[in-house]
Amino acid sequence: MKDEYRRRLTQLLGDSVSFDQQICAAYDHDLGEMPGVLMAQIKACPTAVVVPKTTQDVVKALTFAGETGTPVTPRGQASSGFGGAIPTRGGLLLDLSSLNRVLAVDQEAMTVDVEPGVVWQGLSKELQRCGLDNRICPTSAPSATVGGWFAMGGVGIGSLRYGSVADVVEEIDVVGLDGRTVTCRGDRMQPYYQTCGSLGIITRLRLKCRKAEALRPYAIEFPDAFSLQAFMQEAIRSFDIDTAILHSDGYVAMRKAAGGHHSLAKGHFLAILAIPESQADDAKLALLTKMHKGEQFSEQVAREEWGDRFYPMRIKKVGPTVLVGEFYLPVDNFAAAWEEIAGDLSRDCIGMEALAISKSELTVLVYLPECSKDLLYPVRMAKAVRPAAIARRHGGRPYTAGMWFAAESKEVLGKAKYAGYRRLKKELDPENLLNPGKIVAPGMRWLPILNLGTVVHLGSALASPFARFLSYRGKGPSPSGEHHEH
């Protein structure tokens, strides 16, 4: 049976499929580092890896999977750490990174059609040749793919002006397990947004673009979180800001330890704004900055900071592992929430990066360097959920689900969308073959009556009170901001 399985796949896909064990093992993880005891609960290593060269290859792979009852896990660059691109039942791993063509640019309509494996930064360069540019992109733009970001649900650079990736995508082509391709627009796209490719594989996306325009960057230092919050509340109302990025002193210290070039005084914050040249008003911004006790850096520093916007995860160099907590938080509650988070994790080296994604909300990432080789790492991991728990008390909400946070899927998607997703999943994929174990968590291999999402959720909640007393053990800046090795 095994030989027949391989023969049929090879006959269908030729050199686009590989059964090599080393190649398959390279796909059993993403950017996150999870304890072995959790990884042992799933079959993370695929049986075969398919690297489709054309949309027709995707159709062939999915048709084969549907006919043989084989699980399929779609993967872009796996640039997030939420487990959305990790197999849970082996099967086929569909590496879509080679479907990376820009199919068509419509300069008049200001749209672009792309394959799912197109990388955001490369797309920007391609569009600029036509006088256009991306409306939004992730901070991981040098590696993240368009299809992957849509499937996970993303906000990022430019979201303050243009919204989420769902607001930018006009239509998609999706292939199902029956091999049929459907084109979805408007509300029909919504089930495929944030659901990790578990209803179908996206093979084309049409994105709205903007005219290429110069953005003027500003870098401003603030003495405390409340001054920064007050400035942001007024700046967002007063200026047509494309992007607003906020950094804590701890994050800047991590970045400097990893090869960055600036530092902040202890307890201070950095705001990086990008405003269209046509809308920039230096005098007005300078007055607002002064009103809120800010100090503006030189234009050169501002351009350097803006140029570094795409490299947040280089701070992994100071870890060697970095725990990441991500959540949404109201702008109005930022300062109170951050002071509580910083106090709660005062034994740690803690960094914060936030982006304003609307006039009322931020997406916040909290970074905690750690060492995955430590015996107590599974307990230490629980520290990453503490900031999100504190944020909830200040009106925050979870960012995304994937596999590791599947217990929060209903809250991430909303009750109505979650219920609709469950109905559609039963209709389109009754055997749960398309990226199983993501929105609904996989069962535990050693204890099938429990699912992995619930175990992660409850385990983190139980370990969290103890984890905060485990002092920082990483390499890099200490909690006091001084750089040293432990």
Side-chain angles (χ1 to χ4, degrees):
M1 183 65 181
K2 184 177 181 181
D3 290 341
E4 175 65 12
Y5 179 93
R6 291 189 174 199
R7 186 192 65 77
R8 286 185 60 191
L9 257 183
T10 303
Q11 189 176 35
L12 275 174
L13 295 159
D15 62 2
S16 293
V17 63
S18 174
F19 302 93
D20 184 276
Q21 287 188 336
Q22 285 186 314
I23 291 174
C24 290
Y27 290 90
D28 69 357
H29 62 281
D30 61 10
L31 196 62
E33 294 187 53
M34 302 303 288
V37 67
L38 291 180
M39 294 302 295
Q41 303 305 314
I42 58 174
K43 192 176 179 182
C45 186
T47 304
V49 172
V50 177
V51 184
K53 299 181 178 70
T54 65
T55 297
Q56 194 56 34
D57 285 344
V58 176
V59 171
K60 291 176 182 177
L62 288 183
T63 303
F64 173 86
E67 291 174 351
T68 60
T70 303
V72 181
T73 304
R75 180 183 177 108
Q77 294 284 6
S79 57
S80 80
F82 297 100
I86 300 176
T88 61
R89 290 163 49 194
L92 296 183
L93 189 293
L94 206 57
D95 181 346
L96 301 170
S97 61
S98 289
L99 291 180
N100 57 5
R101 294 181 300 158
V102 176
L103 300 170
V105 178
D106 187 329
Q107 291 178 263
E108 186 175 343
M110 289 199 293
T111 62
V112 60
D113 285 25
V114 301
E115 290 182 322
V118 165
V119 171
W120 284 98
Q121 192 173 63
L123 177 59
S124 177
K125 291 176 181 177
E126 185 72 22
L127 289 172
Q128 286 174 12
R129 297 190 184 104
C130 305
L132 301 173
D133 206 345
N134 295 320
R135 289 192 172 195
I136 68 170
C137 65
T139 54
S140 54
S143 60
T145 61
V146 174
W149 206 41
F150 181 83
M152 286 298 295
V155 290
I157 305 296
S159 285
L160 180 54
R161 200 175 181 196
Y162 294 109
S164 74
V165 67
D167 298 311
V168 169
V169 175
E170 280 195 341
E171 68 178 38
I172 56 174
D173 287 347
V174 186
V175 182
L177 285 167
D178 57 4
R180 291 192 309 117
T181 300
V182 295
T183 298
C184 301
R185 304 177 183 87
D187 290 342
R188 289 188 63 206
M189 291 192 302
Q190 280 304 308
Y192 302 97
Y193 172 65
Q194 292 182 299
T195 53
C196 305
S198 58
L199 294 174
I201 306 300
I202 297 170
T203 55
R204 180 187 66 89
L205 304 95
R206 176 170 294 168
L207 311 177
K208 300 173 190 174
C209 306
R210 63 175 175 86
K211 288 184 178 179
E213 60 182 331
L215 297 174
R216 185 178 300 181
Y218 299 87
I220 308 167
E221 183 173 353
F222 293 91
D224 56 73
F226 289 94
S227 298
L228 173 61
Q229 176 181 302
F231 170 83
M232 286 301 304
Q233 288 168 316
E234 195 163 343
I236 288 172
R237 291 193 300 267
S238 303
F239 295 90
D240 183 19
I241 301 172
D242 181 273
T243 301
I245 306 171
L246 315 179
H247 292 160
S248 71
D249 60 325
Y251 175 80
V252 174
M254 290 180 201
R255 197 181 58 177
K256 186 176 178 63
H261 41 258
H262 297 296
S263 59
L264 289 178
K266 185 170 175 58
H268 285 213
F269 292 82
L270 176 66
I272 304 159
L273 308 183
I275 300 175
E277 285 279 7
S278 59
Q279 305 293 321
D281 187 331
D282 290 355
K284 185 178 178 181
L285 187 66
L287 181 61
L288 186 62
T289 298
K290 187 176 181 181
M291 282 174 56
H292 296 288
K293 300 184 285 187
E295 183 177 343
Q296 197 166 312
F297 287 101
S298 68
E299 181 180 347
Q300 179 183 346
V301 170
R303 293 197 178 280
E304 288 174 351
E305 292 290 352
W306 177 242
D308 279 349
R309 66 194 180 278
F310 291 139
Y311 301 97
M313 286 313 292
R314 68 183 176 190
I315 62 173
K316 283 192 75 173
K317 293 178 183 178
V318 308
T321 306
V322 175
L323 302 176
V324 182
E326 191 164 5
F327 47 86
Y328 293 106
L329 184 67
V331 175
D332 294 351
N333 297 346
F334 165 74
W338 178 250
E339 289 217 333
E340 187 175 345
I341 291 168
D344 184 79
L345 294 168
S346 60
R347 294 168 177 262
D348 281 272
C349 173
I350 178 172
M352 180 279 299
E353 180 184 38
L355 285 98
I357 59 165
S358 72
K359 291 186 177 181
S360 61
E361 197 167 38
L362 306 168
T363 178
V364 181
L365 293 98
V366 176
Y367 301 102
L368 292 158
E370 271 295 350
C371 180
S372 59
K373 308 299 182 187
D374 193 296
L375 263 177
L376 291 175
Y377 180 65
V379 178
R380 292 176 183 280
M381 284 187 64
K383 286 190 287 189
V385 306
R386 295 190 67 81
I390 292 170
R392 284 176 190 271
R393 297 200 289 270
H394 294 271
R397 58 191 177 93
Y399 177 72
T400 193
M403 174 169 56
W404 303 120
F405 300 104
E408 298 178 339
S409 291
K410 189 179 293 186
E411 189 175 357
V412 170
L413 299 179
K415 289 182 180 179
K417 181 173 178 176
Y418 181 79
Y421 165 83
R422 295 296 300 268
R423 288 193 298 270
L424 201 55
K425 183 72 169 173
K426 287 181 180 178
E427 176 188 335
L428 299 177
D429 183 19
E431 294 184 64
N432 192 23
L433 301 177
L434 285 168
N435 210 5
K438 302 312 186 296
I439 305 304
V440 178
M444 299 274 287
R445 180 184 285 184
W446 297 345
L447 199 58
I449 60 171
L450 296 176
N451 72 60
L452 191 56
T454 301
V455 169
V456 170
H457 184 73
L458 292 178
S460 296
L462 291 171
S464 175
F466 305 100
R468 67 184 291 252
F469 293 106
L470 296 175
S471 299
Y472 172 60
R473 293 281 300 278
K475 180 183 76 172
S478 70
S480 64
E482 297 172 355
H483 180 69
H484 62 93
E485 294 194 12
H486 296 262

